Amino acid sequence: MPKRCCLILLALMGNLMSTTLYGQGTRSEWGAIYSPKEIGLTYTSSSLDGSPWHMARIVADMMDVVRGKTGTPGVRGVYSIAYPMKTWKSLNGNQINLVAGPGAVLGLVKDHGASHFSALAGLEGMAGIYYHLNSGFVLGIGLSGELGLCLSAKDTHDTRLSYWKHGIYQAFIPEISIAYRF
């Protein structure tokens, strides 16, 4: 029962936000992102005049889980500002957007070959193609890479700061997103 209530509440919040934003000439999209490196939820807010998109994601870091090296995924929060580079419109109203931009990432992840979780903070870059259908569905494919620092500590005498290797190693693994525009 709690899962059903959470889904209904999420749908109502999306509807409320989209109704408010529609009067301001913006649209919002809620969806999911799938990739061998990550699985998660995505939210995009964009305006109808071609200004930058605001994209927020919360994802499970799945690469080591897919490889069978661990059973527990890490968690990352990603915020990106995507600039529309090119837009194509069809006669029936469908639209294709090519976007790219910078962002930031925070999370709790297992780095390449690490046995414990580390705190992550860094910068992110993304590029993608999004196909907006008349029915409200949005299909996207993109690439994203993160350059970050991991802080890990087993105890107070063993604190380490290192580069997050997965962010670079996984940059060329494509991501597929499916969202609905409200």
Side-chain angles (χ1 to χ4, degrees):
M1 184 66 178
K3 289 181 184 179
R4 188 178 299 156
C5 289
C6 288
L7 289 174
I8 291 171
L9 183 60
L10 184 63
L12 289 174
M13 283 177 36
N15 229 356
L16 177 63
M17 288 176 63
S18 65
T19 304
T20 305
L21 295 174
Y22 185 75
Q24 300 172 359
T26 60
R27 61 181 178 212
S28 61
E29 302 163 2
W30 289 88
I33 188 162
Y34 306 97
S35 173
K37 70 177 182 177
E38 63 190 13
I39 294 174
L41 299 174
T42 180
Y43 170 76
T44 303
S45 173
S46 61
S47 69
L48 303 174
D49 66 355
S51 60
W53 299 5
H54 299 276
M55 304 174 82
R57 298 185 211 169
I58 185 152
V59 296
D61 189 30
M62 298 296 292
M63 192 53 135
D64 283 343
V65 175
V66 171
R67 289 181 182 169
K69 294 184 178 184
T70 185
T72 308
V75 176
R76 294 190 328 264
V78 182
Y79 173 76
S80 303
I81 298 174
Y83 294 93
M85 308 302 275
K86 182 72 177 165
T87 301
W88 297 275
K89 293 184 180 181
S90 67
L91 293 176
N92 61 359
N94 295 337
Q95 182 174 328
I96 297 175
N97 292 309
L98 175 64
V99 298
V105 60
L106 292 172
L108 191 60
V109 297
K110 283 191 179 180
D111 198 8
H112 186 71
S115 60
H116 56 281
F117 286 98
S118 303
L120 166 70
L123 300 174
E124 186 254 357
M126 64 82 60
I129 298 174
Y130 293 88
Y131 184 52
H132 296 266
L133 298 163
N134 278 339
S135 62
F137 284 99
V138 181
L139 306 173
I141 186 165
L143 299 171
S144 68
E146 291 101 9
L147 182 60
L149 295 175
C150 286
L151 178 66
S152 62
K154 291 183 182 177
D155 57 30
T156 57
H157 301 290
D158 190 17
T159 303
R160 296 182 184 177
L161 185 65
S162 63
Y163 292 108
W164 187 47
K165 297 171 193 77
H166 271 187
I168 301 299
Y169 293 161
Q170 300 172 8
F172 294 104
I173 298 175
E175 308 162 344
I176 296 172
S177 65
I178 301 171
Y180 187 77
R181 181 176 59 245
F182 289 96

